[in-house]
Amino acid sequence: MRCLTTSQMEKFITDELTDGEISEHIESCEHCYMNYQEMSRGRGKYISLFLKNQAVYQPGYLSPENLHEDNVTSIDKYPKKRLSKSVRIRIAGYALSGVVILTLLVLIYIAFPKPPDSYVALTATGITDEGLLRGQTAGSMFNPEISVTDGGYHLEIKEVSADNLRIVMALQITDKKGNPVPDKLRLGKDNHIVVKDGEGNVVAELSDVGKTKEFYLLSAVFPEVVRTDKLEIEGNIYYLNESGTNHEVQNGDWSFHFTVDMTNMNKIIEVQPVDKEYEVTKGVFIRVKELINTATSTRINVESVSRGNKSMDVQELMFHFEDSDGKEIHNVGSTKPGHISALLDVSRTKDQNAGIALFSYTFIDIPQGATFVLDGASLSVKDDSMIEFRYEDLTDGEVMFDREGDQIYLRDLVIDAGNKDSNPSAFLKIDGYTTGNMLEDQWILQKKYSQEIYKLTFRGAFSPSGKGQNIDEGSEFVIEGLNKRTDGDILVLKRIGRYKNIGNIEWSFPL
């Protein structure tokens, strides 16, 4: 059997490897035995194996029944054996080398920032962010050693993970007795933590994404890949207050600042070009542009491109990933039960002149070799469908918006005069059927021969039916700004933009 690697030895010491052959090899190999002795220090097994017998090496010491402190007395049954002179010389040399190495490690520990011995918050049980575990191995996690006290409250930051796509922080606040206070921090206008690049530009602001019993978990996903030698983290915390309005505000200054060295993260980041394209409808294309892999996350950039079709604009994409066995891993924008726990952030930016929209989806992880499957897309389509009516027509119940498969009945227009606490408001009562999306379609109401235009917002309920939706009775358009009705006025109900859903695409390719 070959000598154990550092990783294998670590797993053996922590009981992840319990192979008897490994125990026999360590017993018979002086090199592995010395490594085991050194790596076991501080883990409890060194105590049970050696302190009782003053570092005496004997076959059988590493048998499973002797690897626990509960069995420490069983080691005494082995007779002590005087080592040969050559072995003693080598051991003395190892000891001297150990002293020199230990001295150097102490100097390094003093000179450089120190990572925590264990990351008890960012990698705690119950936190399912596997990207942070990878980041810990890759070196994205460190201890900024921030400690600020004011007004009897103590703010401390021990754990931060940062790379080119995101930053995650574990922040703790304790009271005078040292007890964690899990509900005092309020981030907003006055309390905020910003991230700046090396040139002083703000690239993100951290938000509270969750809590444990001891820590606030703060996070920010960068809208663009940050390529800089360092990040500057500036925290301005001027008050603490529990949720609700009846709690006393504790004013103070718990501001802080620290720097993140990005040198190593800049070496790890990988950009993988993809450049795959699919035409979802005439003149509108979806192009999967690239994958970006960092220490803790993966981003997939997808573009929508309009070529000769300026009336349609992609608003949303539906897609999922499958593993090598065809099993679905994550899905985005789907109406079926989702596996989106790994999705961290979605952003959309639009270049109006070029007719290109960029969608960026940031995941904790997209497994290597996964297959990308495009399920569908939602498009915003320019529309000028309209219907004219008078107030008095509504009482007959015969006004219907009948356009492109839609049959929406206009039932009544109600004016609420309001009171001293509220402004007047108007409601257009509707029901019927639509092939569009009432929550996303854009509607306006206009008085004919007038420049007065009122924006409409749908409020109500609907249920799937065929290729569209039934609009339930009692639904309505809220009319913003209309405060009176005048019989004889001609009104124009106009849909200026509608959503068009394209499904069942199933275009796919391996990443």
Side-chain angles (χ1 to χ4, degrees), residues 142-160:
F142 72 103
N143 179 2
E145 297 185 339
I146 296 298
S147 181
V148 185
T149 300
D150 194 6
Y153 288 94
H154 183 68
L155 180 150
E156 191 167 8
I157 303 173
K158 290 184 177 180
E159 302 173 26
V160 174

Side-chain angles (χ1 to χ4, degrees), residues 280-327:
V280 294
T281 192
K282 186 176 181 180
V284 180
F285 298 81
I286 300 298
R287 180 169 63 219
V288 181
K289 185 179 178 182
E290 61 191 1
L291 278 175
I292 302 173
N293 295 297
T294 66
T296 71
S297 53
T298 300
R299 176 172 293 176
I300 183 168
N301 284 332
V302 184
E303 291 180 339
S304 70
V305 184
S306 297
R307 300 190 186 119
N309 188 345
K310 300 299 183 180
S311 64
M312 293 188 179
D313 186 18
V314 177
Q315 298 293 320
E316 185 181 1
L317 297 175
M318 287 78 82
F319 62 91
H320 70 272
F321 298 98
E322 296 176 357
D323 62 17
S324 56
D325 296 325
K327 181 180 179 181

Side-chain angles (χ1 to χ4, degrees), residues 130-145:
E130 296 179 1
L132 295 179
L133 296 175
R134 295 196 311 274
Q136 180 179 355
T137 303
S140 73
M141 200 172 292
F142 72 103
N143 179 2
E145 297 185 339

Side-chain angles (χ1 to χ4, degrees), residues 108-132:
I108 292 172
Y109 181 84
I110 295 173
F112 294 95
K114 300 166 273 297
D117 294 330
S118 61
Y119 295 95
V120 297
L122 295 184
T123 57
T125 301
I127 297 177
T128 58
D129 194 332
E130 296 179 1
L132 295 179

Side-chain angles (χ1 to χ4, degrees), residues 84-217:
S84 65
K85 182 177 180 180
S86 61
V87 172
R88 294 200 306 273
I89 292 173
R90 283 200 294 274
I91 292 177
Y94 294 146
L96 180 60
S97 299
V99 171
V100 173
I101 293 172
L102 182 60
T103 302
L104 290 173
L105 289 175
V106 170
L107 292 175
I108 292 172
Y109 181 84
I110 295 173
F112 294 95
K114 300 166 273 297
D117 294 330
S118 61
Y119 295 95
V120 297
L122 295 184
T123 57
T125 301
I127 297 177
T128 58
D129 194 332
E130 296 179 1
L132 295 179
L133 296 175
R134 295 196 311 274
Q136 180 179 355
T137 303
S140 73
M141 200 172 292
F142 72 103
N143 179 2
E145 297 185 339
I146 296 298
S147 181
V148 185
T149 300
D150 194 6
Y153 288 94
H154 183 68
L155 180 150
E156 191 167 8
I157 303 173
K158 290 184 177 180
E159 302 173 26
V160 174
S161 177
D163 62 19
N164 308 82
L165 288 180
R166 64 168 172 154
I167 181 171
V168 185
M169 176 189 301
L171 183 149
Q172 185 181 62
I173 296 176
T174 53
D175 59 19
K176 296 178 181 180
K177 296 181 180 180
N179 299 317
V181 182
D183 198 29
K184 279 282 189 182
L185 181 62
R186 294 284 173 270
L187 295 180
K189 181 179 178 181
D190 296 321
N191 287 348
H192 58 271
I193 304 171
V194 298
V195 183
K196 297 182 179 181
D197 61 18
E199 297 180 354
N201 302 308
V202 175
V203 296
E205 183 170 340
L206 274 75
S207 58
D208 189 344
V209 295
K211 301 180 183 70
T212 67
K213 291 182 179 180
E214 297 186 355
F215 294 92
Y216 297 87
L217 301 178

